[in-house]
Each structure stands twice: as C-alpha cells, then as structure tokens.
C-alpha cells in the first residue's frame, strides 16, 4: 500500500456521515415533525470535530489488514464511532451547561431556541429534554452505521469492544460528574477519569475496535495498546491545559467552562498538591465557582503557572509522547500505519484546539 | 416442547439481570466512587416491571426455534432488551419530571437525594445529570448483555433489528416531547406516537428480534407482525386510560403525571374532536397544567366519560385484541407459543397496572 492519507480518511468518513443523514431524512415517514431535529443533529455532526476517533479506528483496521478488499465497512465503522461521539458530546454539553461547542451553539441551546415558550414548559427545560432525546437518537444511529456494513464475523469480534468502550466512557462521565466541585487533590481519581474518559475512549478503543474488525494478531493489538494509552493521556492533559489557557477562538469554547464546572482534572489535582496554603484556598474558591469571570480565570492561570503545575504537566505530556513514539518502533505494524500514528501523536500533543 | 411457562421465562430473565450486576459490580476497578450508582440502577432494574419485552423476545425466538439447544443466549438477548428499557425509562422520567415509577422514587430523584448540595450545583440538577449518565450506562450494559452470548451469525441477523428498535423508540420519544402541551386534536400524530413508542417498541420489535435470532421464516415473522401491531396499540390505549383512571397504588405513579405533562395521547385527541366547545376549552386548560390537582383530574375524567371517549377507546382496545387473536389462528406458529401469545394479549388489554 502507498502512504496512508489521513485527510482522505477524514473526507471518506464525512461523506459516509453526510450520506447517512440523507437516508435518515428520507426514511421513516416521521416528517414533518422531525425535520428540525434531524437538521440540528446533522449540523452538529457534520460541522467541525477533529475526527480523531474514526481516523484511529481506520488505522487500527489498516494495522491488521493493510489492503482491505472493500473500504466501505471500514469507513462505516469509523463513521459509527463519530456518531457515537456526537451523542456523548450532546449529553455532556447538557450536563456541563455549555453554551457553545466547536464555536457554535450547543444542541440543547439550539433546541431551546426553537421553542422559546411551549405549553407551560420553559424553553430551557425543553432544550434539555430535546438534547437527551437527540443524544439517544445519535446513539441509535451510531448502531445503524456500525452494523450497517460489517460481516457477521466482523460484528462478532467488534461488538464486545464497542460495548466495552460505551461502558468505559460512560463510567468516565459519571466519575467526572460525581467528582465535579469536589476540589480535592485526589490525583488517583483524576488519573482514573483520564483513563476512562480519554486514554481508553479517545485513542485506544478506536484503535482496538478497528483492529478487531481487521482481525489483528495479539502482538499488533498489544502494540496499539502501548501506543494508545500514553497518546490518550497526553491528549487529555493537553485538553486540560487548553481548557484554561486556550484561545476560545480556536478551541470553540469559553475559557471559563472548565473552571465554572470545577472539572476534576489532573491539572487541578497537581496544583492543589503543590500550592501554598493561601493559593490552595484561592484555587478552591475559584475552581467550580458558577459565575467565575475571565479575570478570575487569570488568577487561576497565575496559580497554575507559579506553582510549576503548567511546567510539570507539559513535562508529563512530553514523557507520554515519547513513550508512544517508542511503542511504534516494532515490526508488528506496517510502516505506513506507524508513520500515520506518529503524525496523530504529534497532533494530539501539539494542537491548539 | 411442553407448555411455554411465562413465569419461568420471567424468572430466568431476572436471574440473568441479577447475575450481570454481580459481575458489573466486581469488574472495572471503579470502586468506591461508583458503588452507589450501580446499586441505584440495579434497584431500578430488578424491582418491578412487567418484563413484557423480554418475554415477547423469548416467544419470538421459540416461535422460530421451539427447542433451542441452549437457552442462555435467548435469555441474555431478552435481558438485554429489559436493560435497554430501563435506560429509556430513566431518561423518560427525567423529561417528564416524574417523582415515582413502579411505586418507588425515580432514578433522578434518588440521585438528587444522594447529593442534596454539592459544590454550587443544586441537588436537583445533579439528579438530572446523573440520570442522563445512568441511562447512558444502562444503554451500554444492554449492549453487553445483548452481544454477550449470541453467535456471530445470530448477531448479524439481530443487530439491524435492535438498531431499528432504538431508532423507533427514540423517534417516538421525540414526537412525544415535541407534541407535549400542543393540546391539539391531531389524531394522526397521536397514532404515530403510539406506533413508534409502543406498537413497534413494546410488542412487535421484541418479537421480531427474538424471531431473527431464532432464524424465523418470513411467514412466521409476518404472523408476529399481524399479532404484534394490534397488541401494541391496545397496550398503549390501556396505558393511556390507566394514566388518567388507574389506581396509583397499582400503577405505581400518580394519576396527575400524564395530565401535568400534557401527553399527546389518542385519548385526548379523541376527546378534543368530540367535546363541546366549553368542554374543549376546559380540557385545553387542564391538560398540560403544570400544577394540576387531583380534583382537576376528576374534571378531566368527567369530560372523557361524558364525551364517550372512554367507551370509544375501550371499543378500540377490544377491536385490536380481536385482531391479534385472529392473527394467531395460523399453522405458522407452534401451538404452545400461540397459546402463550394469547395469554400476553389478554394481559395487555385487561391489566390494571
């Protein structure tokens, strides 16, 4: 095979997703009541998103089976992961009360806007309920995309992995919710959240799902694990930093979001262990403050910088990055796939959005 | 085969679900943060519930394959449907703001009680978020149960059906939400909601999922469709009546719930077409009134009775019941399965809970 073209994979996934919405709109005889809602999900799924999970899924497949006879099942499976991710984000944004995502209003905000006042329900509650249902619908559509093109044999290998991914990411979300506002220095808990929400979910599972579909050897799967876990951790740590230091124009979300929700990140856990007593008190007051201002976020930034937390987290990211690249030095991966995985690792740690 | 013992099927499903929670609690290393939450889902799934979907799924399978070599895959698949249903109910109760279900506090109420005040989040919002996540977790667990024991070949036949069921029930929920409080006499919309939320979801799809797993002939599947659709419609109409006229001690939910939410039921659509002008105005004021009282529900009952709506809906139920029984007069079903389906149809229309 030639070079693995990451942009081409992204384009194929986007086109599979767009094609699915065409069919979903046509099917079912549920018009006209559902036209708005289908458009909202479609807009959310097709606009923006880094497509990191589908790309990794495709690479996991190609790692095991570099020349698949037909690319449609591979792309369908990858697109199913992206649809699943959309569902997770829709529910996540409700829980975090986020107003924007990818620089656009979140799904619950859009839906609230469609029914500003409706039969005794206020618009905001309608938006919340609609986003719960639309998330559930995206989950059902993920199933349709996933099982649409795989053979029975492939399904038998892939589905336990997908069920496990769904279990893990949801446990991660629960831990996230459960610990939000706890303001503790519990680094173990922060590490556990990272493992479930990102290391597994964002990187390793997509790889292993693709690998299972492609019928990977045990060695190849092990390599993907050794690569995927550190990349996932580095990805999440970069996310934590961007959540406080990022440029909202690039990340698509306000810098106050993480702070307002009091996200239990490794960043904050580290800061609390190294902060002076007055710094820890200040951080405790600000992190999780529902009406935190941008200038208060400046104070958080200052504490994170002066305690050496930012430097420590950057060092961790570098270590994970190195470990991931080392895992790629193996005969158990096609060269072109290893090359593509190296690019992904670089992007995961160096990105500004 | 001997008689199909419906109680035995229910007991097997319950024991498969209980066994799953044992494993779920042990697995994953997510203690102690998640013990509470697993207990809450377990309590919800194992306590109460008519188990109509798993029983129908088992009957669909037995219709095609009366003597399965091994019952574990059949029971696992059936239990997966019950777990999926729990997820749907958990999200439904959030959206309906229901306080009780099956005579116990709903999941979002239980979760709200566990965190009365937490880091700036009020307990009620925490309960809402936790119920979103717990519903999502039950969805993931449904996947695990479903794909746990089926062969690849069975999965290949069953999964498109399950994806379709998930699509349909969620569309039904969206239509329900979308139309709540609309107070219109749109009987087509009410019919569409019945079709998606109940006729397909509660009766026909569980049958057809079981039938697909058992590799049913096209004739058998057609018979199950002709039986399932009217039973589903009768089931929903009975539900609508119980929602206004039922005994809360038996139904496990207050009689004000449907009225408060302004559910767009066939009952109300019919009443609005036959009501006198003052009755229609009154009904419009009360149905969907957020703080409706029990004595106001009495007024609703009076309107539903004097307009002949109750009688008309009872007649419809009788017609559907008859059509379902007629569909069972066929050589394409094993006698014992037809007998069991007759019992289910009787229970669906005659129940008081």
């Amino acid at each position: 095979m030639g070079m693995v073209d990451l942009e081409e994979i992204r384009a194929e996934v986007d086109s599979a997703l767009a094609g699915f919405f065409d069919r979903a709109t046509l099917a079912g005889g549920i018009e006209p009541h559902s036209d708005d809602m289908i458009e909202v999900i479609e807009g959310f799924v097709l606009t923006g998103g880094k497509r990191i999970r589908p790309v990794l899924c495709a690479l996991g497949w190609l790692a095991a089976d570099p020349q698949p006879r037909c690319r449609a099942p591979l792309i369908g499976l990858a697109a199913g992961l992206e649809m699943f991710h959309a569902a997770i984000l829709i529910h996540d944004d409700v829980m975090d009360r986020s107003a924007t995502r990818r620089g656009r209003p979140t799904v619950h905000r859009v839906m609230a806007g469609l029914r500003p006042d409706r039969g005794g329900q206020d618009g905001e509650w309608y938006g919340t309920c609609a986003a719960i249902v639309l998330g559930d619908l995206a989950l059902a559509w993920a199933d349709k995309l996933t099982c649409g093109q795989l053979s029975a044999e492939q399904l038998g290998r892939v589905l336990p992995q997908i069920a496990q991914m769904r279990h893990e990411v949801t446990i991660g979300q629960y831990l996230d919710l459960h610990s939000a506002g706890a303001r503790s220095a519990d680094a173990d808990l922060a590490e556990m959240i990272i493992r479930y929400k990102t290391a597994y979910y964002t990187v390793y599972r997509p790889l292993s799902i693709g690998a299972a579909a492609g019928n990977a050897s045990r060695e190849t799967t092990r390599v993907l694990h050794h690569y995927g876990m550190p990349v996932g951790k580095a990805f999440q740590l970069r996310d934590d930093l961007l959540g406080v230091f990022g440029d909202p124009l690039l990340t698509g979300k306000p810098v106050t979001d993480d702070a307002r929700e009091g996200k239990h990140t490794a960043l904050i856990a580290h800061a609390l262990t190294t902060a002076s007593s007055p710094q820890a008190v200040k951080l405790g007051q600000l992190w999780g403050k529902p009406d935190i201002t941008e200038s208060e976020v400046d104070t958080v930034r200052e504490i994170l910088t002066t305690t050496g937390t930012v430097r420590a987290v950057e060092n961790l990211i570098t270590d994970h990055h190195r470990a991931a690249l080392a895992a790629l030095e193996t005969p158990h991966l096609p060269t072109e796939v290893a090359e593509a995985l190296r690019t992904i690792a670089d992007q995961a740690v160096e990105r500004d959005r």
Side-chain angles (χ1 to χ4, degrees), chain A residues 170-183:
Chain A
T170 317
I171 289 286
Q173 278 191 300
Y174 175 76
L175 292 175
D176 213 3
L177 174 70
H178 181 82
S179 66
R183 297 193 193 84

Side-chain angles (χ1 to χ4, degrees), chain A residues 242-258:
Chain A
L242 287 172
V244 181
F245 293 90
D247 177 349
L249 287 178
L250 296 172
T251 62
K253 68 173 196 172
V255 285
T256 45
D257 267 21
D258 280 14

Side-chain angles (χ1 to χ4, degrees), chain A residues 255-256 282 286 292-302:
Chain A
V255 285
T256 45
K282 192 72 197 166
L286 294 179
I292 191 167
T293 63
E294 301 220 359
S295 89
E296 286 170 327
V297 173
D298 279 340
T299 308
V300 171
R301 286 197 193 105
E302 205 191 303

